[in-house]
Amino acid sequence: MKPPPFEYHAPRSVAEAMEVLAAAGPEGKVLAGGQSLIPLLNMRLAAPGHLVDVNRLTGLDTVEVEPGGVRVGALARHARVERSAGAAAAQPLLRQALRLVAHPVIRNRGTVVGSLVHADPAAELPAVLALLGGSVRLARPGAVRDVPAAGFFTGPLESAAEPGELALSAFFPALGPRCGTAFHEVARRHGDYALAGVAALVRLDDGLRVTTARAVCVSAGPVPVVVDVTGHACADGWAAAARDVAKRVEPEDDIHASAAYRRHLTGVLAERALREAAASAAGDVGTRR
Amino acid sequence: MTTRLFGEPVPRREDPRLLTGRGRYLDDLGAGALEAAFVRSPHAHARILDIDVSAAIEVEGLVAIYTWEDLPEEVGAPLPLLIPHPALTHGRTARPLARDVVRHVGEPVVMVVARDRYLAEDACALIRVDYEPAEAVVGVETATRSARLVHDDVPGNVGAHLVQEVPSAAGLGAREAIDAAPHTLSFRLDIERSASMPLEGRGVYARWDADDRSLRIYSSTQTSTSVRMAVAARLGLPLTKVEVIAPDVGGGFGVKIVHPWPEEVLVPWAAMLLGREVKWTEDRREHFVSSAHERAQVQHVRVGFDDAGRVLGLDVTILHDHGAYTPYGIIVPIITATQLPGPYRIGAYRVEFSSVYTNTVQVTPYRGAGRPQAAFCMERTMDRIAAHLGLDRTAVREANFIQPDEFPYDQGLTFQDGRPLIYDSGDYPESLRMLKELIGWDSFGELRARAAAEGRRLGIGLGCYVEGTGVGPYEGGHVQITSDGRVHVSTGLTSQGQGHETAFAQIAAAELGVPLERVSVVTGDTRRFGYAVGTFASRAAVMSGNAIALACRRVREKALRIAADALEADPGDLEIVDGEVRVAGTPGVAVPLATVAVLANPLRYAFDAEAARATQFAGTPSPDRPPVAEGEEPGLEGRDYYSPVRSTFASGMHAAIVETDPLTAEIRVLRYAVVHDCGNLVNPMIVEGQIHGGVAQGVGGALYERMVYDEHGQLLNASFMDFLMPYVTEVPRIETAHLRTPSPLNPLGIKGAGEAGVIPVSAVIASAVEDAEGIRIDRMPISPSELFDLRRAAG
Ligand SMILES: Cc1cc2nc3c(=O)[nH]c(=O)nc-3n(C[C@H](O)[C@H](O)[C@H](O)COP(=O)(O)OP(=O)(O)OC[C@H]3O[C@@H](n4cnc5c(N)ncnc54)[C@H](O)[C@@H]3O)c2cc1C
């Protein structure tokens, strides 16, 4: 379990990193926290000719609370974002999700942006970005673009980030007034990728009626599956809404769980997440953390 | 000065070193050595047609590539079948490198040596092996039914078949006794594969001294003495020219008792041939597919019993999955078959097993070694009987227990050491009483009801076992006191984290009357002690512990003899306290052991002040006696061996309370209680640590771990991502209580404890989940997904 040969680059500036990446083209790979990429290399499942280590870049280890949301720089580690009080206040779902990502030691290294670009359909953060309708900022020499979540996750382990592009940051919209979120999942072991998981976002009006109810499911398809259940929730209640979520996912059998079980779990977790999000929106569960 | 000795919870002396990263594991050695990597079969069953290494030759830093054809005859011959048995009529072992046929994914085919492991793997990736794939045999039932053969010359894929039968007191065979019984049940049980999975894999590092024509091998092994003999024989070297050292070993759990591994032969051979140091460190993927697994069995049970639940007849037929080879013989199924009766007096018992070849990784002992399967079978049977009769599960066990006044109790079977299976001591009713109290068995109903009122589902379960520990043939100990008063203990068996440095030092300190701090312990180094068997089968404390105690007694006697001379006292009046030989009851008349050591070795040359006291003009007491008395040897040292007539039998009972989520089917162990009897305890803290680790592995086997082979013999979960060992977050807090029924078989009265924790866990969890759910659990491990399926099937 040693990686195949590659050329190692450790650029000192974003500009230099973009140049190296542009030159490497399809042969280049960004190395961020390495928590996903290094295992792939060691198992020889990936064999990039050039590894561009971005860990020495300055100015990317940022968590900025902007008026409309939280902007997370490419070198902000999971742990840093998880601990940021400002981020948690602006968008509580970030902390709710990050607590479910792996274990503390992995969160100390792994980056939020790396997780998004890696685009694992079992991962929590892509689901969060998709549910909230956030975006990822990608850059190449002379060109910066923001790709909205809806177009960013293109398949299992596939994102809109193109060869030669460096992801600079991700933007997670803030939680609006009378909104609540929750994230529930079931994993085989503490910190494992979930067998099924559902994050929910519920918005109420001043009369505490549901105006938006959305859920996103992990391990439920090739990309995070966002389901709008506003209609169901209003008409038939949370249990019916959750059943609808369970119907819309496309889980697969694998060695850890059957598709039927995952679908069942998705329903159970959807109901838990939607109810908790609604309660939170109604202010039932105290102040937002 | 502290003198903390036998029986005290002395903190493990090795821990500060091991826990702060100062351990020296195999891969920490040999920084400049060449490194080996292997091309391993990607097929479960195939014929090798051609091996093309031409592209690999170009890799810069490559040193050598070896295929089977390059190996001298003795090196390339099949590896030894370590434990032959008459019932193993078709024993088969692999060659170090495959010659023509590969029989499981991961079998080594080509060895590559390069400047480092990276380059070696690069070269491996460029070697083209042409295979003609054959159909794979996967799963024991397929193996017995199918026409496909793992080995062409093993019909029906059956390597061994063994029946043992113990008739009832009235002379009835088990089948007759069952037919005549008021109640009978028959059912099938399944246990899946797991593996030892030490955090440090295997590894070998060899240094050939061409001038001295000697070989030093470091191996991450559970038996350095036997690796030494095996490798010396294979490589045609005199035994005296081969040294084998087990450095710190990061866990063994059974897999490292197998030897010599292909790499243990090939790495030293290459080192000799190349005249360079060569090292191989197994990686995790290799460990999954080319070391060993265990556990998989299918059991068919028939049992007959009376109204009280007493077992009148038990008939068990076992299909044991042996994987592709049988290097360790049929020890695992023999242990299952013979330990199955556990703490019970079974009316008549018949057990039959077939050891079956499949195109999967070979099966050799993993902690528990066949006993978890045995306990699963017996304890599921007890629960079935209780359910059938509407009796409490503990009542059925009580009705069947061997009673304290029945020891020694002969089960009438032949154990894994070829000797009669006779329980030496125990008190099973007391053990169960303690367990019920510890877990709160009798008041569980209230707990369950309270939980149910909150919509929670709880269940309780238990399991009992008896474990033959401390198997022979022998171990030895050597104890030397040097002129600085230090005590050097060595024994040949190895350590894989058990705490031998502490436990053996406690024994020596207690026997010799010296402070623990002065005692140091060396294990697994053939330079220090050449005769040993190894560390497995919960035998180290029993075997080496007693051998060291006996060796200490020799040293003590000698010390008293010499001190008696010096003090002009009778040896019978002397005692050793705090490292000093004293005349009992006469304060101030004493001689330190350091001085005794000086006096024990008469010298001509004074190299320091201490030594000067033993030189020839320092005043010899009796000029008419030889300086070294007749029958004595110079030095204050002693060596002795312990070789028991048969095994000693530890026992234990576990209980658990589990919670199953009514919606998600998640299974959580809320409480786990262990009552354990290993006779006298050398160090209760170490015993508890052993139990904790064992239970953790048991929880893995019950709820998480399995080897998922597809029908082509591909192992689908060969990584820690998908082979789910429990984290600390999945292991419950373990509550323990000790019962002590000392073994009458050995001087220290101890029994083994190393495997205890793991043995009944699958049985216990199955019992508890069944209790919570009201659904029969016949197959372990069980995952939430499977529980969900069972619920749906139950409607
Ligand atoms: C044992 C274990 C358990 C885990 N469990 C979970 C879990 O439960 N949930 C979960 O979500 N994750 C889990 N992870 C993954 C973890 O969260 C990773 O940190 C994350 O997926 C990737 O982040 P990274 O910074 O380590 O990226 P890397 O491994 O460095 O890179 C991953 C991929 O993203 C690309 N990339 C990274 N950064 C950039 C960038 N700035 N621009 C362009 N491309 C980039 C890389 O080229 C690579 O293709 C687990 C990891 C481990 C080892």
Side-chain angles (χ1 to χ4, degrees), chain A residues 11-14 17 30-34 52-63 71-81 107-115 166-170:
Chain A
R12 298 278 163 172
S13 70
V14 171
V30 173
L31 175 68
V52 185
D53 182 347
V54 297
N55 285 281
R56 285 173 185 76
L57 303 188
T58 49
L60 294 182
D61 178 15
T62 53
V63 184
R71 183 163 292 281
V72 177
L75 283 178
R77 316 283 163 178
H78 295 316
R80 165 116 204 256
V81 181
R107 299 203 290 266
N108 285 342
R109 296 288 307 163
T111 62
V112 168
V113 170
S115 176
L166 177 67
L168 291 178
S169 64

Side-chain angles (χ1 to χ4, degrees), chain A residues 1-5 42-44 103 186 188-190 192-193 255-258 260-261 264-265 268 272, chain B residues 117 121-122 283-285 661 663-664 703-704 717 720-722 724-725 727 729-730 784-785 788 792:
Chain A
M1 275 205 246
K2 302 287 184 209
N42 284 348
M43 301 222 195
R44 295 192 178 225
H103 317 104
V186 169
R188 283 295 271 122
R189 298 171 302 182
H190 182 86
D192 280 354
Y193 280 110
I255 60 176
H256 301 301
S258 67
Y261 175 62
H264 165 81
L265 273 186
V268 172
R272 284 180 191 171
Chain B
R117 175 72 183 237
E121 288 194 20
D122 288 348
D283 70 28
R284 187 55 55 188
R285 193 154 49 170
D661 188 304
L663 292 173
T664 63
L703 295 173
Y704 299 99
N717 62 335
F720 279 166
M721 194 82 180
D722 287 317
L724 309 177
M725 294 208 290
Y727 302 130
T729 40
E730 281 66 50
S785 184
F788 172 75
R792 290 217 299 194

Side-chain angles (χ1 to χ4, degrees), chain A residues 18 75 84 102 118 132 138 147 158 172 268:
Chain A
M18 289 194 297
L75 283 178
S84 162
H118 191 57
L132 300 176
L138 301 172
V147 182
E158 281 169 28
F172 296 90
V268 172

